[in-house]
Amino acid sequence: MDDLQVIDGIVSAACDLVAVGLNERIQSWFDDGLLDPMSIDRKWVAKCMATTFEASRQVTLEGGKRYVRDVEAEMGWWASFQEERPRSSEPLYPLSNPRSDRAGRLPFDALAPVETVVRSAPKVGRNDPCPCGSGKKYKKCCGDG
């Protein structure tokens, strides 16, 4: 991204926020030729800067987004802003196994041993004939390929 696009972005954001304090600097960028008049022009900037901040917050943006009017009211429902309730010492769910911990995990020695699988017939390769007798390769028949 080149510098002119960055400056265009800054001016656009300043107009969205009605940053009147940047108006003088923005006008100097127009004078120095740092702003692309095809994307941002002086009339648009003047109109944005003339809008009061209160009126700009009333505007609904594209896609239904809107400016936040009251941060406390908007975020007050978040759990981090609620008063902390005392916690019960009782677990939420009764432990099904007396050896399990609070998260319900069993200690390693309480787990059932893993049994090794032993095949009764030799393993069928992907390119071997299918044992069902179709005459196709295993990968095209019963191998779900």
Side-chain angles (χ1 to χ4, degrees):
M1 190 190 263
D2 65 346
D3 293 341
L4 296 181
Q5 289 177 323
V6 172
I7 294 172
D8 284 352
I10 292 170
V11 173
S12 179
C15 287
D16 287 345
L17 297 172
V18 192
V20 179
L22 290 177
N23 194 20
E24 196 172 306
R25 177 166 290 176
I26 292 169
Q27 295 306 322
S28 71
W29 288 341
F30 275 116
D31 295 340
D32 295 340
L34 296 176
L35 289 168
D36 181 9
M38 295 299 290
S39 61
I40 296 176
D41 64 354
R42 288 182 192 256
K43 290 180 185 177
W44 180 75
V45 172
K47 180 181 173 188
C48 291
M49 294 300 173
T51 307
T52 63
F53 186 70
E54 189 60 37
S56 70
R57 292 192 330 189
Q58 307 281 333
V59 176
T60 301
L61 302 175
E62 290 180 27
K65 297 177 185 173
R66 59 184 172 78
Y67 288 105
V68 174
R69 296 169 195 228
D70 182 1
V71 174
E72 187 176 343
E74 293 281 337
M75 297 172 58
W77 63 272
W78 289 17
S80 60
F81 294 106
Q82 302 299 314
E83 290 192 28
E84 193 165 329
R85 290 179 259 159
R87 295 182 184 222
S88 171
S89 60
E90 295 293 318
L92 292 176
Y93 303 100
L95 302 175
S96 58
N97 187 321
R99 292 189 64 195
S100 62
D101 63 6
R102 290 185 59 91
R105 296 178 298 239
L106 291 172
F108 184 74
D109 62 343
L111 300 175
V114 178
E115 294 184 25
T116 305
V117 176
V118 179
R119 300 182 203 283
S120 58
K123 182 176 178 182
V124 179
R126 288 177 38 88
N127 291 317
D128 293 341
C130 190
C132 75
S134 67
K136 296 181 182 179
K137 289 183 180 182
Y138 175 70
K139 68 181 178 183
K140 296 285 186 176
C141 186
C142 295
D144 294 319

